[in-house]
């Protein structure tokens, strides 16, 4: 039995470790105008901040009732709040020196300075100067308030109250996000089921039996249960997300990594970094690309689009279901690349899910266990209305803003979030030689932003190299934040 | 492709041109292959690795480019998010005298030259050249060696500094404290490259399970340093070819290469993207042995000259050569022939249990 650490869930904010599962969320980005007034306002906000303990208990109860009834317990309604700050925001509150104690230079510099490293365009569409917020020092938010509710009206009312009651700060941008309606629920705008492959955190809320941060599948064979919460869902040491907790070992998934000094000021303990990216999705552009890939490789557009993503729209993985979508595999996650599809004949080497999480592939920084140290905990949600009930039929861009409000928690922006684009999605050589770019989020800010993917031809598996010169995902806002513990909020930032 | 007539110099450079010396280089390289093969045979195993001057390669063999990043992973693991400490540690020379070396152990080494007045970096020399070739040059063409140092590192280099009492000193100042002509780390050699590739062709098993994971393979076989990026990757990629039954060797010429430098998001002082400032001084693009990162004299930002130290990476000026090395892709080329032709049994891991590292056992549901 692996001894898992007890986390101080009553101090840790709720969205990172436990996760807001609510269908209606909003992010309110703001700038601090007067620090003393802001501190008073924050002091009043702190008791309303949802802790990991509260959110975990709620999620657990929700799951138990859903399993018992076979339907979602509609009466179980929650509305949560969390808050996080950019380095610029923290400097306003505590001065430069404590912020300089954060070792993570990506966080210290902030997204406006780091966007180029992610491959974001340096000029024109998608360039930081054109973003809705967060692209320049002038539009960089100091804070983000996250509101999540099962009820859209309650979400809106809370956002309204927060904005109306703002003292010492002013809102910069309010971004609602909603689970897509109807058959697209749980899907992103291109029409693919999202959020299937999330790592599970090790750790306990208390010494009490069963008080685990992540639920475990009781049917797992013991050897696998040491490393997986459920089939295909790896267990990560909580220091992968929570500062000061035991972290992931680069070579051994079962034991914690070496103990390290806190990579920030003393009050950063039990906090997490939060990366937010407002990513516009060009639905018509994506499906035009899918049709082109389909023509080049002898497939219908949906089968071609699946080769871009690595899963079918319904969620079934190409590795285990290469012939077509399969509702029974909608959430399937127990598959490998190197062992089951080394040449990428089923799931192309450039497919999005293979590029961002190469699973058992040996990447360029050690073995597959190193990949676990790169994983992040995604908490994003779609924004904007669907382009249509069946996205694959969308042929024309209606000009409406829609996309993914990407949000992810981690312990190092440098070695986790920024590693992914720099080393894998934007790099055609990694994690497998000749992979090409990630067709969804891969960027190449040179040579006309041309990228390429490699997709096997349907008839004989021969690799077809396809050039991509159109962006289907365009950054339009974001920020690098730190979500402090509730204790740090009360005793340091609001004091 | 029949057997190779001879093994060429790294990057096919022609520092010496006469046939006798080139044959001598080939013989020395060939001996390294023989030694690596003999090592496997000596352990009672059938080698899957071969010397391409003794064994034929099929006309169209599989070629695999194996790549990894140039900055020492061991230092990244040691210092975590504290990059400044990792960059600084990477430039701190170790050892003394002839055995001086840089703790840069990913088959890429660099030296940052700074302006004595401003302290800003003006150029970063990058090299992937194994020391054996330079020892060979010192023996067969010492004048050429001196001329190369003078051309690539400093016109001030003297014969007495490089070859005191006629004996080449790889730890000389122009290859350590004041420049980087070739690799100095004890693990960074062509011989190590050949031996690692050879040893990685041995299939390994723990119980009945054939190992495929990089961490498990290196823990079991001990063919390299597991905290590096390069060794586990080379080992795992070569071993994957071996599991497919290939006969395996290294592409001629045997060398390590600077494959690419990624400068996406690097900004000049005027905020514009940097140009292509990497100058390949030995080898060719994609297969460079040596390169210099330096802002061309004609480049201007806002009408002014600028230097490497004025360039910002993600808001942070370049203060260490490691910031450049971190974005260099290093690589070698493996050659595999006659797929399925060899069916060696896997060798059981000896000793301690090793790292229980596989992500997912084969045939499992997890």
């Amino acid at each position: 039995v692996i001894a898992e650490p007890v986390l101080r869930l009553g101090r840790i904010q709720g969205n990172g470790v436990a996760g807001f599962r609510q269908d209606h969320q909003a992010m309110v980005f703001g700038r601090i105008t007067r620090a003393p007034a802001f501190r008073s306002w924050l002091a009043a906000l702190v008791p309303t901040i949802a802790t990991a303990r509260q959110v975990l208990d709620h999620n657990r109860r929700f799951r138990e009732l859903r399993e018992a009834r076979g339907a979602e317990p509609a009466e179980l309604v929650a509305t949560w709040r969390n808050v996080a700050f950019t380095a610029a925001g923290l400097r306003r509150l505590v001065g430069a020196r404590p912020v300089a104690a954060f070792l993570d230079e990506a966080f210290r510099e902030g997204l406006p300075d780091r966007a180029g490293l992610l491959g974001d365009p340096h000029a024109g569409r998608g360039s930081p100067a054109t973003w809705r917020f967060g692209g320049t020092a002038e539009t960089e938010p100091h804070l983000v308030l996250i509101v999540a509710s099962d009820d859209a009206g309650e979400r809106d009312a809370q956002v309204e109250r927060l904005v109306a009651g703002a003292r010492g700060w002013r809102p910069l941008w309010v971004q609602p996000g909603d689970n897509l309606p109807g058959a697209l629920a749980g899907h992103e705008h291109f029409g693919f089921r999202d959020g299937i492959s999330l790592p599970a955190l090790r750790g306990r809320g208390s010494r009490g039996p069963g008080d685990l941060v992540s639920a475990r599948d009781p049917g797992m064979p013991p050897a696998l249960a040491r490393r997986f919460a459920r089939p295909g869902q790896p267990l990560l040491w909580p220091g992968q997300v929570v500062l000061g907790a035991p972290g992931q070992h680069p070579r051994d998934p079962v034991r914690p990594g070496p103990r390290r000094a806190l990579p920030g000021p003393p009050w950063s303990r039990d906090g997490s970094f939060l990366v937010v990216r407002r990513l516009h999705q060009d639905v018509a552009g994506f499906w035009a690309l899918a049709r082109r890939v389909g023509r080049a490789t002898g497939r219908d557009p949906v089968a071609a689009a699946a080769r871009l993503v690595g899963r079918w729209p319904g969620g079934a993985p190409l590795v285990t279901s290469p012939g077509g979508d399969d509702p029974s595999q909608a959430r399937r996650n127990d598959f490998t690349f190197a062992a089951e599809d080394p040449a990428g004949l089923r799931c192309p080497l450039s497919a999005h899910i293979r590029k961002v999480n190469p699973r058992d592939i040996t990447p360029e920084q050690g073995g597959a266990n190193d990949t676990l140290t790169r994983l992040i905990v995604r908490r994003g949600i779609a924004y904007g209305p669907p382009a249509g009930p069946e996205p694959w039929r969308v042929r024309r861009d209606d000009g409406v803003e829609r996309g993914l409000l990407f949000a992810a928690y981690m312990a190092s922006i440098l070695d986790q979030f920024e590693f992914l684009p720099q080393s894998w999605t934007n790099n055609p050589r990694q994690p497998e030689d000749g992979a090409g770019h990630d067709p969804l989020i891969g960027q190449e800010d040179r040579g006309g932003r041309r990228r390429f993917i490699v997709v096997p031809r349907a008839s004989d598996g021969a690799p077809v190299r396809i050039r991509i010169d159109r962006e289907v995902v365009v950054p339009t806002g974001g920020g690098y934040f730190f979500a402090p513990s509730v204790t740090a909020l009360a005793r340091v930032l609001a004091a | 492709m029949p057997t190779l007539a001879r093994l060429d110099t790294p990057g096919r450079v022609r520092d010496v041109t006469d046939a006798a010396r080139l044959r001598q280089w080939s013989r020395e390289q060939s001996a390294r292959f023989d030694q690596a093969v003999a090592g496997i045979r000596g352990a009672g195993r059938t080698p899957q690795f071969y010397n391409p001057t003794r064994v034929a390669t099929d006309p169209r063999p599989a070629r695999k480019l194996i790549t990894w990043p140039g900055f020492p992973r061991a230092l990244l693991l040691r210092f975590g998010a504290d990059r400044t400490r990792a960059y600084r540690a990477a430039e701190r020379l170790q050892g003394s005298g002839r055995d001086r070396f840089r703790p840069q152990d990913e088959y890429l080494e660099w030296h940052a030259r700074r302006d004595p007045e401003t302290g800003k970096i003006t150029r970063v020399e990058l090299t992937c050249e194994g020391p054996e070739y330079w020892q060979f040059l010192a023996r067969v063409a010492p004048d050429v060696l001196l001329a190369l140092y003078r051309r690539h590192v400093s016109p001030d280099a003297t014969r007495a500094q490089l070859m005191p009492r006629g004996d080449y000193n790889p730890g000389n100042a122009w290859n350590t404290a004041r420049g980087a002509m070739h690799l100095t780390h004890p693990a960074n050699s062509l011989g190590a490259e050949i031996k690692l590739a050879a040893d990685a062709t041995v299939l390994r098993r723990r119980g009945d399970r054939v190992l495929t994971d990089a961490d498990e393979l290196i823990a079991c076989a001990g063919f390299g340093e597991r905290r590096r990026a390069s060794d586990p990757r080379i080992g795992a990629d070569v071993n994957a070819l071996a599991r497919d039954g290939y006969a395996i060797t290294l592409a001629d010429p045997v060398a390590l290469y600077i494959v690419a430098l990624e400068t996406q998001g690097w900004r000049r002082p005027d905020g514009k993207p940097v140009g292509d400032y990497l100058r390949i001084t030995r080898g060719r693009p994609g297969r460079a042995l040596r390169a210099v990162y330096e802002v061309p004299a004609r480049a201007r930002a806002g009408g002014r000259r600028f230097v490497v130290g004025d360039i910002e990476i993600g808001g942070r000026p370049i203060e260490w050569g490691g910031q450049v090395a971190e974005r260099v892709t290093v690589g070698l080329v493996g050659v595999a022939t006659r797929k399925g032709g060899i069916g060696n049994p896997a060798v059981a891991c000896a000793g301690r249990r090793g790292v229980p590292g596989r992500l997912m056992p084969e045939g499992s549901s997890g």
Side-chain angles (χ1 to χ4, degrees), chain A residues 263-327:
Chain A
W267 49 267
S268 65
R269 184 174 298 281
D270 293 329
S272 295
F273 293 109
L274 162 65
V275 172
V276 176
R277 298 263 280 166
R278 184 181 188 267
L279 299 171
H280 174 74
Q281 289 177 264
D282 174 1
V283 176
F286 173 81
W287 285 99
L289 173 64
R291 285 192 295 277
R292 191 155 69 80
V293 171
R295 283 193 298 275
T297 64
R299 291 187 176 87
D300 66 68
V302 172
R307 267 71 194 174
L308 303 179
V309 175
R311 289 182 185 268
W312 293 92
L318 281 180
V319 170
T320 58
S321 185
D325 212 342
D326 175 0

Side-chain angles (χ1 to χ4, degrees), chain A residues 73-99:
Chain A
E75 79 281 10
L76 215 56
V77 172
T79 303
W80 307 120
R81 290 174 178 179
N82 268 185
V83 65
F85 300 87
T86 57
L90 290 177
R91 284 187 196 105
R92 293 274 172 125
L93 294 177
V94 296
R97 187 172 290 183
V99 180

Side-chain angles (χ1 to χ4, degrees), chain B residues 115-181:
Chain B
D115 182 309
E117 282 178 21
T118 63
K120 283 183 184 174
I121 291 182
T122 54
R123 61 185 256 158
V124 181
E125 298 166 0
L126 302 149
T127 177
C128 277
E129 294 198 57
E132 292 96 330
Y133 179 73
W134 293 81
Q135 278 145 358
F136 162 77
L137 277 185
R139 273 185 278 114
V140 305
D143 293 343
V144 172
L145 178 129
L146 178 61
L148 287 169
Y149 263 87
R150 285 181 172 166
R151 187 191 314 157
H152 291 287
V153 181
S154 170
D156 299 335
T158 67
R159 184 180 292 264
Q161 289 169 325
L162 304 185
M163 292 166 276
R165 292 176 298 281
D167 191 16
Y168 179 56
N169 172 16
N172 74 77
W174 298 112
N175 194 35
T176 51
R178 303 177 73 179
M181 189 70 248

